[in-house]
Amino acid sequence: MARLKVEDLSFSFGYDTILEKINFEINESEVVSIVGPSGGGKTTLLRLCAGLLDRQEGKIENSFETQSIAFQDPRLLPWKDTIENIAFGLKAMGVPRVKRNERAKEIALKFELEEKDFDKFPKELSGGMQQRVSFARALVTKPKLLFLDEPFSALDIGLKMELQNHVMDLIAKKEITIFFITHDIMEAIRLSDKVLLLAPDPGRIIKIFDFDLPQNQRDNEYVYSQTTKLLSDREIIETFELEFR
Amino acid sequence: MNFIIKTLRDFPAYLWSGWGALASIFLFIALWDVGNQVYGDLVLPSPLDTFKTLVLLFDDQEFIKNLLITLKRAVTSFSFSLLVGTFLGLLAGFFVTASIVSRPIITILMGMPPIAWIVLAMIWFGMGDLTVEFVVIVASMPIIFVGALQGTRTLESGFEEMADIFKVPFFMKFLDVYLPHIFSYVFPAWVAALGMAWKVVIMAELLATNDGLGAALAISRSHLDTPTALAIVTVLIGLLMIAEYIFLEPIKREVEKWRD
């Protein structure tokens, strides 16, 4: 069983301690979210786990064979067209051109991109389309571990649902493991098996919430009621500074 | 490879779009003819006379020899600038200190008028090839250097992160993530530097050598041979236009298609 295991992870920029003694574990086909206010070290934690930052203290064990990521901004290469952008990860894996274009086109259609968009450059696509392409690029490689760095934050509610449904399909089929970062508690509840609360200054995990109901059985009512419950949680209120004055 | 094919494929459409440019050139020639009718042959020979002289020039062995000398000087020194300037610019761009240190030096080099370089080079190297080549290099290299420097300085770290998650091999990362961005800065710098090199080579030749088109221009001036002078100027401009519109512009369009 592949897993991502973080043990006693601490990280600082100069004298600024960003993360302190972080411990958690993500097992295969689990969805784990980190919620916390902006600037609390969520992205730093993700970058450490993804191997984009060098570890300073503690241990990270990542035994997933393949990984990919979707960011808040689409980060499409502006000099590549839609299909080339989607196929980027496949190209890195050494999949031959014909094969990778075929797979890219297939997933593009699934993400409701149209054939006429295939040879457009990112500048010719709307923001929503760009995010579809970005998601297609992240998923076309069939990653074992997917990092989501607030990819839904800037989207309208319809597209948000649509992309989340794609992710839910994969979760239901137990095909993917997800490390999800968000500041939106409702989003976290909809998708996750476990929600870790990251308190800032310095970043540390102060509480873990478990959600056992399978994702595809969670209706709006479930999500809303759980959200209400979490929002009245002492630690959540303090971490997000929710108190009314 | 793909890129070359695309450029060639779009070339006919590009040429076809040139009718407007052609019309404005003809308008310019018409105005030139008006100038001739107002000021007379000595001051401004008519376009027809100039083109006739031009045809005669190409029968003249001496002129062909001069043309080749100038081309050789321009091409060798520009190529040197291109290779060394691009290399140094990229290198400086990858190191913060190097880019900070090089910036003021480049400003000084770019601010120095080429004519001042010519004077210095004549003192240092005397009359001849080396003087001309030196001046062309110092005039064109900083432009290329700055282009390459800015290209590397402005690389987006976000793309690199994305590529690192996908564990993109270094060579692919260079070709797909770095190069298109850098090239979109370096290429316009090459074009600007080429224009500069071509102007400076003539100026340096006019003052510092006995051969080449610049020297031929100086001789036609001393003979008050305005038609020949204008014919040479026409050749100079014609060559630059061919280089720019037949070779460089189509490449530039292809390279910058993805830009806003």
Side-chain angles (χ1 to χ4, degrees), chain B residues 153-183:
Chain B
R153 293 303 311 153
T154 50
L155 280 173
E156 276 198 54
S157 61
F159 293 146
E160 208 182 329
E161 253 182 32
M162 186 274 292
D164 284 342
I165 297 247
F166 285 114
K167 305 207 164 87
V168 173
F170 179 78
F171 190 62
M172 177 183 158
K173 194 154 112 184
F174 180 74
L175 281 184
D176 284 354
V177 181
Y178 298 150
L179 196 64
H181 176 91
I182 293 175
F183 198 66

Side-chain angles (χ1 to χ4, degrees), chain A residues 47 75-76 78-79 91 123, chain B residues 161 176-177 257-259:
Chain A
R47 293 174 73 197
R75 299 207 192 171
L76 304 178
W79 43 83
K91 189 177 175 188
K123 66 161 182 186
Chain B
E161 253 182 32
D176 284 354
V177 181
K257 230 179 191 170
W258 52 269
R259 283 201 148 179

